[in-house]
Amino acid sequence: DTAVSQTPKYLVTQMGNDKSIKCEQNLGHDTMYWYKQDSKKFLKIMFSYNNKELIINETVPNRFSPKSPDKAHLNLHINSLELGDSAVYFCASSQDGRGVSYEQYFGPGTRLTVT
Amino acid sequence: RKEVEQDPGPFNVPEGATVAFNCTYSNSASQSFFWYRQDCRKEPKLLMSVYSSGNEDGRFTAQLNRASQYISLLIRDSKLSDSATYLCAVFSGLDSSYKLIFGSGTRLLVRP
């Protein structure tokens, strides 16, 4: 059983398009995250949701909009894609993320290429 | 200064060697510390949490030095399969904005 799953695994699209990435976790965790890993392998948090409530919103262009329909799902919608959005996007989850640290478990990643 | 810094390497060692990585962090109020392993084109996987008293898991030993604000990872008897990038991660923040901050990773190559 996959603990944290993402779809699609690869996404190739043109500048200006709108795309979505989906994430699901079956660990029963309350908190989910989106991370971006750029070409230099630097992994940086973008958003965090706890039980469908947004708790972390880093300095991310508002073209990126996360949505959490329930605590097991966290999707990422990106409008008007730009070349600089090309990266690997990882979803992660943890037991809780509000001021308490628990181990985070990552999905397999979505490799986004914008041409 | 970056919040979490690591030597990018690569560390190129023979099988059986002992290798150590350090990771420094800037926020003295950081609460929790972790080592993750990331294989090429894969997701980061939790290797171990780092406790104040230090902890060991088989060939892997993690240490925390709060006074000097660094964590370390020691790998004994290196295996070819240990070749990967090792990311340190520090949990810190203020109020409700706690987050996990990753270093840029240290690459390890274990050769036959």
Side-chain angles (χ1 to χ4, degrees), chain B residues 4-78:
Chain B
V4 179
E5 292 200 73
Q6 294 182 250
D7 182 342
F11 284 60
N12 192 324
V13 303
E15 265 188 296
T18 294
V19 62
F21 311 134
N22 278 345
C23 168
T24 59
Y25 59 95
S26 60
N27 185 349
S28 59
S30 296
Q31 293 191 346
S32 308
F33 309 87
F34 305 91
W35 282 102
Y36 280 79
R37 170 196 169 125
Q38 187 172 25
D39 291 290
C40 189
R41 301 179 79 85
K42 297 284 188 182
E43 72 273 24
K45 289 188 176 172
L46 181 67
L47 182 65
M48 55 200 305
S49 303
V50 187
Y51 303 120
S52 297
S53 54
N55 48 304
E56 189 174 309
D57 183 2
R59 298 182 293 108
F60 298 83
T61 300
Q63 296 274 359
L64 166 63
N65 185 318
R66 282 195 184 271
S68 301
Q69 294 182 208
Y70 74 85
I71 62 172
S72 63
L73 178 68
L74 182 79
I75 306 175
R76 289 180 298 278
D77 188 23
S78 298

Side-chain angles (χ1 to χ4, degrees), chain A residues 58-78:
Chain A
E58 289 292 288
T59 308
V60 175
N62 56 17
R63 298 182 294 104
F64 290 78
S65 51
K67 279 193 172 52
S68 182
D70 56 62
K71 74 173 193 176
H73 295 85
L74 180 62
N75 304 323
L76 183 65
H77 188 75
I78 316 171

Side-chain angles (χ1 to χ4, degrees), chain B residues 77-95:
Chain B
D77 188 23
S78 298
K79 311 288 184 195
L80 294 176
S81 57
D82 292 335
S83 297
T85 297
Y86 291 83
L87 305 169
C88 70
V90 174
F91 191 73
S92 63
L94 292 170
D95 300 324

Side-chain angles (χ1 to χ4, degrees), chain A:
Chain A
D1 277 349
T2 304
V4 183
S5 58
Q6 293 179 231
T7 54
K9 194 167 182 181
Y10 299 96
L11 188 51
V12 181
T13 188
Q14 292 184 325
M15 282 174 59
N17 284 348
D18 303 339
K19 289 292 178 187
S20 291
I21 308 171
K22 295 186 176 181
C23 178
E24 176 180 1
Q25 54 95 3
N26 62 7
L27 296 166
H29 287 166
D30 287 332
T31 305
M32 296 184 73
Y33 311 82
W34 278 112
Y35 285 86
K36 178 180 179 180
Q37 188 169 43
D38 59 26
S39 56
K40 293 192 168 113
K41 308 300 181 190
F42 189 51
L43 187 64
K44 190 167 181 196
I45 190 165
M46 300 172 70
F47 302 102
S48 171
Y49 270 75
N50 179 271
N51 222 347
K52 302 195 294 175
E53 179 189 348
L54 180 67
I55 56 172
I56 291 177
N57 185 348
E58 289 292 288
T59 308
V60 175
N62 56 17
R63 298 182 294 104
F64 290 78
S65 51
K67 279 193 172 52
S68 182
D70 56 62
K71 74 173 193 176
H73 295 85
L74 180 62
N75 304 323
L76 183 65
H77 188 75
I78 316 171
N79 289 327
S80 304
L81 278 153
E82 300 178 357
L83 292 175
D85 297 333
S86 295
V88 182
Y89 292 84
F90 288 104
C91 176
S93 73
S94 69
Q95 194 171 337
D96 198 334
R98 298 166 302 164
V100 179
S101 170
Y102 290 98
E103 292 88 350
Q104 293 185 18
Y105 296 89
F106 284 78
T110 296
R111 188 170 295 272
L112 171 65
T113 304
V114 183
T115 62

